[in-house]
Amino acid sequence: MSTVKNDNIRRVTVHVLQSMKNRGEKISMLTAYDYSMAKLVDSANIDIILVGDSAANVMAGYETTLPITLDAMIYHAASVVRATDRALVVVDLPFGTYQGNSKEALHSSIRIMKETEANAVKIEGGKEILESVNRILSAGIPVMGHLGLTPQSINKFGTYVVRATSEEEANKLIEDAHALEDAGCFALILEKIPATLAARVASELSIPVIGIGAGGGVDGQVLVLHDMLGITQEFSPRFLRRYHSIGNEITNAVRKYIVDVKSQDFPNEKEQY
Ligand code: KIV
């Protein structure tokens, strides 16, 4: 277990997560992409911070996650790692940096680990990416799998609807989940699949299974931070619980500031030198 900077807090490790699953304690996970947000999330004692390639949507305004580069992910991840004392930091391997070429997958993962000091990488897909998973694991880099709705494959499916609703798709997902566990992944994300299927996978696998839109029968939950805080307001799938509407509060604060500037209320005498 790695020690960290202050208060004798120890960083969550993959072993800590495994023992949480073993004793039935649910795992909390959120995304973060920058220093300031990551510091707030970490100080609330989240277990895992995901530097997701959803940064492409949330930070850069792209419609899909495909355009984000490895360099951009490294920039975001290094900022997040600098902010965290406690959470395990997992970084998404972006589209085009691991598919079909396990040596490139290893090279991309090594860059992430060396240049960001994150704790693990996440990779989308099942049996088709096993060679990459094996090669990354051979370098001692922990790998989190991701099945169900895999946003990097959006062009193959054309929609973000619930996945694995047919028996054939569900069976493939179960086989893929076992293959990722057998390969040595330390955890698995299941995105937007029926709750009964997700619960079955979580009970069959010994590694932690974390869900997003996958019901309560899994070992933990992940949400995109900006969605649950109400910063991104246009995205409202059924699985999303909004814990705040910070987006509105920010806009209102900015409106007040504009009024104060225009009316010359700001700055007042105490706010100048
Ligand atoms: O990129 C991301 O934010 C993710 C989560 C939705 C799991 O992969």
Side-chain angles (χ1 to χ4, degrees):
M1 203 185 276
S2 55
T3 51
V4 290
K5 300 164 219 158
N6 55 36
D7 298 336
N8 294 326
I9 310 162
R10 287 180 181 277
R11 197 178 283 278
V12 174
T13 64
V14 297
H15 306 289
V16 169
L17 297 173
Q18 185 62 57
S19 53
M20 288 171 78
K21 163 136 186 170
N22 297 346
R23 63 173 184 269
E25 180 182 342
K26 299 285 183 187
I27 296 167
S28 60
M29 176 170 173
L30 283 170
T31 62
Y33 319 100
D34 68 280
Y35 179 87
S36 304
M37 285 294 207
K39 205 155 188 60
L40 295 171
V41 172
D42 191 60
S43 67
N45 285 350
I46 198 85
D47 298 314
I48 307 175
I49 293 183
L50 171 66
V51 185
D53 60 357
S54 50
N57 316 116
V58 173
M59 294 280 107
Y62 290 113
E63 220 167 276
T64 73
T65 57
L66 274 65
I68 198 159
T69 62
L70 184 58
D71 283 342
M73 288 302 296
I74 286 173
Y75 166 80
H76 288 299
S79 311
V80 167
V81 170
R82 281 193 292 274
T84 57
D85 288 335
R86 182 183 181 277
L88 181 102
V89 179
V90 180
V91 184
D92 258 332
L93 280 177
F95 178 69
T97 65
Y98 63 91
Q99 294 97 336
N101 185 340
S102 61
K103 285 193 180 155
E104 192 181 349
L106 176 60
H107 178 70
S108 308
S109 305
I110 287 177
R111 274 202 64 199
I112 287 176
M113 301 302 280
K114 257 189 189 299
E115 296 177 39
T116 74
E117 298 187 70
N119 309 112
V121 298
K122 178 164 84 59
I123 179 165
E124 291 183 10
K127 286 185 182 159
E128 64 283 359
I129 50 116
L130 269 190
E131 199 182 313
S132 292
V133 170
N134 283 323
R135 204 180 276 267
I136 299 167
L137 287 167
S138 74
I141 301 172
V143 177
M144 176 181 270
H146 184 156
L147 296 172
L149 196 162
T150 47
Q152 291 179 17
S153 309
I154 184 60
N155 290 307
K156 178 173 163 193
F157 295 95
T159 92
Y160 289 100
V161 294
V162 182
R163 298 291 197 262
T165 49
S166 71
E167 201 181 328
E168 191 189 344
E169 249 195 294
N171 287 338
K172 177 175 170 5
L173 187 140
I174 292 166
E175 278 175 22
D176 282 343
H178 280 284
L180 290 168
E181 169 165 274
D182 293 347
C185 285
F186 74 93
L188 185 61
I189 298 274
L190 292 179
E191 182 165 355
K192 215 168 177 185
I193 64 167
T196 45
L197 174 62
R200 176 172 166 192
V201 173
S203 74
E204 286 187 13
L205 262 52
S206 4
I207 57 171
V209 173
I210 297 167
I212 172 163
V218 288
D219 307 305
Q221 299 293 328
V222 56
L223 285 175
V224 169
L225 181 68
H226 291 61
D227 296 338
M228 61 85 84
L229 290 179
I231 296 174
T232 46
Q233 290 162 334
E234 60 286 358
F235 183 66
S236 51
R238 170 166 159 180
F239 67 75
L240 175 62
R241 184 179 294 182
R242 283 203 203 284
Y243 286 83
H244 219 298
S245 53
I246 289 181
N248 292 336
E249 290 191 26
I250 291 174
T251 307
N252 287 338
V254 172
R255 282 200 184 112
K256 270 180 147 173
Y257 168 75
I258 294 169
V259 168
D260 289 352
V261 168
K262 304 262 181 206
S263 66
Q264 299 182 41
D265 180 73
F266 176 80
N268 63 26
E269 292 222 331
K270 285 188 198 148
E271 290 162 333
Q272 55 191 304
Y273 300 98

